Amino acid sequence: MIKIVEYIGEKTLHALSALNDIFYFTLVCSVSMFLPASYNPAMRSVLIKQIYFTTIEILPLFTILSILFGTVVIGVVISVSVEYGLQEQMGSIIIKFVVDEFAPFFTALLISLRSSAAVNAEIAVMKVNRELNTLNEYKIDLVSYLFIPRIISGIISVTSLTSLFAIIMLLAGYIFVFFYMSFDIHSYKMLLLNAIELKDLLILFAKGIAFGFMTMLIPIYSGLQAFNSYTAIPISVLKGMVRLFISIFVIEVLSLLVQFI
């Protein structure tokens, strides 16, 4: 019995210590983002490259997925709305589902699977190869040179891609509406414009910023936790992705609770 209590206590203290480290790392990165000194030429160069890698390179695949999901998802929403006699609320249902929920959540998952895992592995490799120690020896600030550009690129990328995803989905949804309900483009446009509110746009951007921040912060932190062994790299990536997916679901649940309060 005593061993069980000691085991539980040890695990609890370890979890609290890890949580404290994450909060401290988050605070340091958050403060550095607002310091003008962080935005030196080297940092801006890394930031541009990260935005290109995270946002531009994924656009072809992202556009195709947006069209496919827009046609299917909005088709399902409209079919269910018609089946249950909710034609009058159809515009609001589409906006709430696509803009408030699906677009931010799916974009965060897609960026997580592609870019977050890569960043986690990159930082872990640099840690194992002692490249981070070398940068420290040359008095290079790791936060402003390595971490902040990736975090800002995550925020910019997820927020912009979320907006693009929502727009393409809504446009692609017209394909289904045209064949299923014989809507003309003007009627469909007015249906959406009359339904969308400022609150929906605020939710979209707020979730895009929160998701974007986490999709880079957690992989960076997890990469820094890698031990000095190449076998630790996949373990670091696995732990980082688990933590990231948990944080994404937590943000999603909190956003739903805030909306219903």
Side-chain angles (χ1 to χ4, degrees), residues 169-186:
M169 278 190 70
L170 293 175
L171 292 175
Y174 175 69
I175 299 173
F176 184 89
V177 172
F178 176 78
F179 288 104
Y180 185 74
M181 302 184 67
S182 300
F183 260 39
D184 59 81
I185 186 66
H186 177 72

Side-chain angles (χ1 to χ4, degrees), residues 114-132:
R114 182 182 182 274
S115 301
S116 300
V119 169
N120 196 329
E122 179 186 19
I123 299 298
V125 169
M126 295 181 72
K127 174 71 179 297
V128 172
N129 287 337
R130 302 183 183 277
E131 294 178 46
L132 299 182

Side-chain angles (χ1 to χ4, degrees), residues 172-238:
Y174 175 69
I175 299 173
F176 184 89
V177 172
F178 176 78
F179 288 104
Y180 185 74
M181 302 184 67
S182 300
F183 260 39
D184 59 81
I185 186 66
H186 177 72
S187 300
Y188 181 68
K189 179 182 71 175
M190 295 308 298
L191 176 73
L192 298 179
L193 289 177
N194 291 332
I196 195 167
E197 301 176 1
L198 177 62
K199 179 182 69 174
D200 300 311
L201 299 178
L202 292 177
I203 291 173
L204 182 142
F205 286 112
K207 292 176 73 172
I209 293 172
F211 284 144
F213 184 80
M214 287 300 176
T215 53
M216 291 298 164
L217 179 81
I218 293 179
I220 291 172
Y221 175 81
S222 299
L224 292 173
Q225 304 308 304
F227 299 106
N228 295 324
S229 170
Y230 285 108
T231 58
I233 295 175
I235 297 175
S236 169
V237 175
L238 177 61

Side-chain angles (χ1 to χ4, degrees), residues 112-186:
S112 298
L113 292 171
R114 182 182 182 274
S115 301
S116 300
V119 169
N120 196 329
E122 179 186 19
I123 299 298
V125 169
M126 295 181 72
K127 174 71 179 297
V128 172
N129 287 337
R130 302 183 183 277
E131 294 178 46
L132 299 182
N133 293 336
T134 302
L135 292 175
N136 279 323
E137 289 293 329
Y138 283 98
K139 308 298 182 183
I140 296 176
D141 185 5
L142 297 182
V143 175
S144 62
Y145 179 69
L146 286 180
F147 306 155
I148 299 304
R150 286 161 175 79
I151 293 174
I152 294 178
S153 74
I155 294 174
I156 294 174
S157 300
V158 175
T159 304
S160 58
L161 289 176
T162 294
S163 305
L164 180 63
F165 192 84
I167 292 172
I168 296 177
M169 278 190 70
L170 293 175
L171 292 175
Y174 175 69
I175 299 173
F176 184 89
V177 172
F178 176 78
F179 288 104
Y180 185 74
M181 302 184 67
S182 300
F183 260 39
D184 59 81
I185 186 66
H186 177 72

Side-chain angles (χ1 to χ4, degrees), residues 71-144:
T71 306
V72 174
V73 171
I74 293 182
V76 172
V77 171
I78 291 174
S79 299
V80 173
S81 301
V82 173
E83 181 179 352
Y84 289 94
L86 300 173
Q87 289 90 333
E88 294 184 1
Q89 290 80 33
M90 189 165 59
S92 297
I93 295 173
I94 293 174
I95 292 297
K96 296 293 182 186
F97 187 79
V98 172
V99 176
D100 294 3
E101 306 302 331
F102 191 84
F105 186 74
F106 183 82
T107 302
L109 288 181
L110 187 60
I111 295 298
S112 298
L113 292 171
R114 182 182 182 274
S115 301
S116 300
V119 169
N120 196 329
E122 179 186 19
I123 299 298
V125 169
M126 295 181 72
K127 174 71 179 297
V128 172
N129 287 337
R130 302 183 183 277
E131 294 178 46
L132 299 182
N133 293 336
T134 302
L135 292 175
N136 279 323
E137 289 293 329
Y138 283 98
K139 308 298 182 183
I140 296 176
D141 185 5
L142 297 182
V143 175
S144 62

